[in-house]
PDB file of all heavy atoms in Angstrom:
ATOM      1  N   TYR A1181     -32.986  54.691 192.988  1.00  0.00           N
ATOM      2  CA  TYR A1181     -32.120  55.120 191.892  1.00  0.00           C
ATOM      3  C   TYR A1181     -30.670  55.021 192.347  1.00  0.00           C
ATOM      4  O   TYR A1181     -30.379  54.895 193.535  1.00  0.00           O
ATOM      5  CB  TYR A1181     -32.428  56.563 191.451  1.00  0.00           C
ATOM      6  CG  TYR A1181     -32.029  57.588 192.484  1.00  0.00           C
ATOM      7  CD1 TYR A1181     -30.751  58.136 192.480  1.00  0.00           C
ATOM      8  CD2 TYR A1181     -32.910  57.992 193.474  1.00  0.00           C
ATOM      9  CE1 TYR A1181     -30.369  59.054 193.446  1.00  0.00           C
ATOM     10  CE2 TYR A1181     -32.535  58.910 194.441  1.00  0.00           C
ATOM     11  CZ  TYR A1181     -31.264  59.433 194.418  1.00  0.00           C
ATOM     12  OH  TYR A1181     -30.879  60.333 195.372  1.00  0.00           O
ATOM     13  N   VAL A1222     -38.478  59.988 186.436  1.00  0.00           N
ATOM     14  CA  VAL A1222     -37.695  61.020 187.118  1.00  0.00           C
ATOM     15  C   VAL A1222     -37.386  62.087 186.074  1.00  0.00           C
ATOM     16  O   VAL A1222     -36.940  61.774 184.969  1.00  0.00           O
ATOM     17  CB  VAL A1222     -36.392  60.452 187.711  1.00  0.00           C
ATOM     18  CG1 VAL A1222     -35.502  61.567 188.242  1.00  0.00           C
ATOM     19  CG2 VAL A1222     -36.697  59.441 188.811  1.00  0.00           C
ATOM     20  N   THR A1223     -37.643  63.340 186.426  1.00  0.00           N
ATOM     21  CA  THR A1223     -37.395  64.449 185.510  1.00  0.00           C
ATOM     22  C   THR A1223     -36.201  65.270 185.989  1.00  0.00           C
ATOM     23  O   THR A1223     -36.188  65.730 187.129  1.00  0.00           O
ATOM     24  CB  THR A1223     -38.637  65.372 185.422  1.00  0.00           C
ATOM     25  OG1 THR A1223     -39.747  64.595 184.975  1.00  0.00           O
ATOM     26  CG2 THR A1223     -38.398  66.524 184.465  1.00  0.00           C
ATOM     27  N   ILE A1224     -35.204  65.415 185.115  1.00  0.00           N
ATOM     28  CA  ILE A1224     -34.054  66.278 185.390  1.00  0.00           C
ATOM     29  C   ILE A1224     -34.452  67.675 184.919  1.00  0.00           C
ATOM     30  O   ILE A1224     -34.710  67.890 183.737  1.00  0.00           O
ATOM     31  CB  ILE A1224     -32.792  65.817 184.631  1.00  0.00           C
ATOM     32  CG1 ILE A1224     -32.465  64.356 184.926  1.00  0.00           C
ATOM     33  CG2 ILE A1224     -31.609  66.753 184.920  1.00  0.00           C
ATOM     34  CD1 ILE A1224     -32.094  64.051 186.329  1.00  0.00           C
ATOM     35  N   SER A1225     -34.514  68.643 185.846  1.00  0.00           N
ATOM     36  CA  SER A1225     -34.988  69.972 185.472  1.00  0.00           C
ATOM     37  C   SER A1225     -33.888  71.025 185.397  1.00  0.00           C
ATOM     38  O   SER A1225     -34.122  72.127 184.914  1.00  0.00           O
ATOM     39  CB  SER A1225     -36.075  70.442 186.438  1.00  0.00           C
ATOM     40  OG  SER A1225     -35.590  70.429 187.766  1.00  0.00           O
ATOM     41  N   GLY A1226     -32.687  70.701 185.852  1.00  0.00           N
ATOM     42  CA  GLY A1226     -31.597  71.671 185.763  1.00  0.00           C
ATOM     43  C   GLY A1226     -30.334  71.174 186.423  1.00  0.00           C
ATOM     44  O   GLY A1226     -30.370  70.291 187.275  1.00  0.00           O
ATOM     45  N   GLY A1242     -35.011  65.010 179.249  1.00  0.00           N
ATOM     46  CA  GLY A1242     -34.679  64.943 180.670  1.00  0.00           C
ATOM     47  C   GLY A1242     -35.618  64.076 181.493  1.00  0.00           C
ATOM     48  O   GLY A1242     -35.508  64.051 182.721  1.00  0.00           O
ATOM     49  N   ILE A1244     -36.707  60.456 182.626  1.00  0.00           N
ATOM     50  CA  ILE A1244     -36.189  59.085 182.685  1.00  0.00           C
ATOM     51  C   ILE A1244     -37.321  58.174 183.168  1.00  0.00           C
ATOM     52  O   ILE A1244     -37.733  58.274 184.330  1.00  0.00           O
ATOM     53  CB  ILE A1244     -34.998  58.975 183.658  1.00  0.00           C
ATOM     54  CG1 ILE A1244     -33.971  60.068 183.374  1.00  0.00           C
ATOM     55  CG2 ILE A1244     -34.389  57.589 183.610  1.00  0.00           C
ATOM     56  CD1 ILE A1244     -33.021  60.329 184.530  1.00  0.00           C
ATOM     57  N   ILE A1252     -26.280  62.244 181.932  1.00  0.00           N
ATOM     58  CA  ILE A1252     -26.134  63.699 181.886  1.00  0.00           C
ATOM     59  C   ILE A1252     -24.706  63.964 181.441  1.00  0.00           C
ATOM     60  O   ILE A1252     -23.757  63.515 182.090  1.00  0.00           O
ATOM     61  CB  ILE A1252     -26.367  64.320 183.279  1.00  0.00           C
ATOM     62  CG1 ILE A1252     -27.750  63.941 183.804  1.00  0.00           C
ATOM     63  CG2 ILE A1252     -26.175  65.829 183.229  1.00  0.00           C
ATOM     64  CD1 ILE A1252     -27.933  64.189 185.295  1.00  0.00           C
ATOM     65  N   ASP A1268     -25.057  70.780 191.187  1.00  0.00           N
ATOM     66  CA  ASP A1268     -26.327  70.284 191.716  1.00  0.00           C
ATOM     67  C   ASP A1268     -27.267  69.935 190.571  1.00  0.00           C
ATOM     68  O   ASP A1268     -27.521  70.769 189.692  1.00  0.00           O
ATOM     69  CB  ASP A1268     -26.983  71.326 192.621  1.00  0.00           C
ATOM     70  CG  ASP A1268     -26.173  71.589 193.883  1.00  0.00           C
ATOM     71  OD1 ASP A1268     -25.547  70.638 194.393  1.00  0.00           O
ATOM     72  OD2 ASP A1268     -26.160  72.743 194.342  1.00  0.00           O
ATOM     73  N   VAL A1269     -27.763  68.703 190.587  1.00  0.00           N
ATOM     74  CA  VAL A1269     -28.714  68.227 189.587  1.00  0.00           C
ATOM     75  C   VAL A1269     -30.092  68.242 190.237  1.00  0.00           C
ATOM     76  O   VAL A1269     -30.355  67.490 191.175  1.00  0.00           O
ATOM     77  CB  VAL A1269     -28.363  66.798 189.119  1.00  0.00           C
ATOM     78  CG1 VAL A1269     -29.388  66.289 188.112  1.00  0.00           C
ATOM     79  CG2 VAL A1269     -26.948  66.740 188.542  1.00  0.00           C
ATOM     80  N   ALA A1270     -30.969  69.122 189.740  1.00  0.00           N
ATOM     81  CA  ALA A1270     -32.334  69.219 190.259  1.00  0.00           C
ATOM     82  C   ALA A1270     -33.199  68.180 189.553  1.00  0.00           C
ATOM     83  O   ALA A1270     -33.228  68.117 188.317  1.00  0.00           O
ATOM     84  CB  ALA A1270     -32.891  70.616 190.035  1.00  0.00           C
ATOM     85  N   ALA A1271     -33.869  67.347 190.337  1.00  0.00           N
ATOM     86  CA  ALA A1271     -34.694  66.283 189.764  1.00  0.00           C
ATOM     87  C   ALA A1271     -35.987  66.144 190.559  1.00  0.00           C
ATOM     88  O   ALA A1271     -36.065  66.545 191.722  1.00  0.00           O
ATOM     89  CB  ALA A1271     -33.922  64.964 189.788  1.00  0.00           C
ATOM     90  N   THR A1272     -36.989  65.565 189.912  1.00  0.00           N
ATOM     91  CA  THR A1272     -38.251  65.264 190.572  1.00  0.00           C
ATOM     92  C   THR A1272     -38.630  63.830 190.234  1.00  0.00           C
ATOM     93  O   THR A1272     -38.718  63.466 189.055  1.00  0.00           O
ATOM     94  CB  THR A1272     -39.378  66.210 190.100  1.00  0.00           C
ATOM     95  OG1 THR A1272     -38.989  67.555 190.395  1.00  0.00           O
ATOM     96  CG2 THR A1272     -40.688  65.897 190.801  1.00  0.00           C
ATOM     97  N   ALA A1273     -38.823  63.023 191.280  1.00  0.00           N
ATOM     98  CA  ALA A1273     -39.293  61.656 191.086  1.00  0.00           C
ATOM     99  C   ALA A1273     -40.817  61.677 191.124  1.00  0.00           C
ATOM    100  O   ALA A1273     -41.411  62.169 192.082  1.00  0.00           O
ATOM    101  CB  ALA A1273     -38.750  60.748 192.179  1.00  0.00           C
ATOM    102  N   ASN A1274     -41.422  61.196 190.074  1.00  0.00           N
ATOM    103  CA  ASN A1274     -42.880  61.098 190.007  1.00  0.00           C
ATOM    104  C   ASN A1274     -43.258  59.657 190.335  1.00  0.00           C
ATOM    105  O   ASN A1274     -42.895  58.739 189.600  1.00  0.00           O
ATOM    106  CB  ASN A1274     -43.379  61.523 188.629  1.00  0.00           C
ATOM    107  CG  ASN A1274     -43.021  62.966 188.349  1.00  0.00           C
ATOM    108  OD1 ASN A1274     -43.415  63.861 189.087  1.00  0.00           O
ATOM    109  ND2 ASN A1274     -42.233  63.201 187.306  1.00  0.00           N
ATOM    110  N   LEU A1280     -41.721  63.918 194.240  1.00  0.00           N
ATOM    111  CA  LEU A1280     -40.723  64.146 195.269  1.00  0.00           C
ATOM    112  C   LEU A1280     -39.524  64.848 194.654  1.00  0.00           C
ATOM    113  O   LEU A1280     -38.735  64.233 193.938  1.00  0.00           O
ATOM    114  CB  LEU A1280     -40.277  62.811 195.889  1.00  0.00           C
ATOM    115  CG  LEU A1280     -39.137  62.880 196.888  1.00  0.00           C
ATOM    116  CD1 LEU A1280     -39.571  63.650 198.130  1.00  0.00           C
ATOM    117  CD2 LEU A1280     -38.681  61.485 197.260  1.00  0.00           C
ATOM    118  N   PRO A1281     -39.375  66.175 194.896  1.00  0.00           N
ATOM    119  CA  PRO A1281     -38.189  66.867 194.378  1.00  0.00           C
ATOM    120  C   PRO A1281     -36.964  66.545 195.224  1.00  0.00           C
ATOM    121  O   PRO A1281     -37.080  66.366 196.431  1.00  0.00           O
ATOM    122  CB  PRO A1281     -38.568  68.344 194.491  1.00  0.00           C
ATOM    123  CG  PRO A1281     -39.649  68.399 195.508  1.00  0.00           C
ATOM    124  CD  PRO A1281     -40.311  67.058 195.554  1.00  0.00           C
ATOM    125  N   TYR A1282     -35.808  66.454 194.561  1.00  0.00           N
ATOM    126  CA  TYR A1282     -34.565  66.233 195.287  1.00  0.00           C
ATOM    127  C   TYR A1282     -33.403  66.756 194.455  1.00  0.00           C
ATOM    128  O   TYR A1282     -33.567  67.095 193.280  1.00  0.00           O
ATOM    129  CB  TYR A1282     -34.370  64.756 195.669  1.00  0.00           C
ATOM    130  CG  TYR A1282     -34.290  63.811 194.500  1.00  0.00           C
ATOM    131  CD1 TYR A1282     -33.068  63.448 193.950  1.00  0.00           C
ATOM    132  CD2 TYR A1282     -35.439  63.265 193.933  1.00  0.00           C
ATOM    133  CE1 TYR A1282     -32.999  62.576 192.879  1.00  0.00           C
ATOM    134  CE2 TYR A1282     -35.376  62.405 192.854  1.00  0.00           C
ATOM    135  CZ  TYR A1282     -34.157  62.060 192.338  1.00  0.00           C
ATOM    136  OH  TYR A1282     -34.091  61.211 191.269  1.00  0.00           O
ATOM    137  N   THR A1283     -32.249  66.818 195.090  1.00  0.00           N
ATOM    138  CA  THR A1283     -31.052  67.329 194.434  1.00  0.00           C
ATOM    139  C   THR A1283     -29.918  66.330 194.589  1.00  0.00           C
ATOM    140  O   THR A1283     -29.631  65.882 195.700  1.00  0.00           O
ATOM    141  CB  THR A1283     -30.630  68.681 195.053  1.00  0.00           C
ATOM    142  OG1 THR A1283     -31.715  69.599 194.923  1.00  0.00           O
ATOM    143  CG2 THR A1283     -29.402  69.245 194.371  1.00  0.00           C
ATOM    144  N   LEU A1284     -29.287  66.002 193.467  1.00  0.00           N
ATOM    145  CA  LEU A1284     -28.063  65.196 193.478  1.00  0.00           C
ATOM    146  C   LEU A1284     -26.905  66.176 193.457  1.00  0.00           C
ATOM    147  O   LEU A1284     -26.911  67.127 192.665  1.00  0.00           O
ATOM    148  CB  LEU A1284     -27.979  64.317 192.230  1.00  0.00           C
ATOM    149  CG  LEU A1284     -29.112  63.332 191.973  1.00  0.00           C
ATOM    150  CD1 LEU A1284     -28.979  62.733 190.580  1.00  0.00           C
ATOM    151  CD2 LEU A1284     -29.084  62.241 193.018  1.00  0.00           C
TER     152      LEU A1284
END
Side-chain angles (χ1 to χ4, degrees):
Y1181 69 89
V1222 172
T1223 301
I1224 305 295
S1225 57
I1244 311 161
I1252 303 165
D1268 294 326
V1269 178
T1272 301
N1274 298 301
L1280 174 66
Y1282 61 94
T1283 302
L1284 302 170

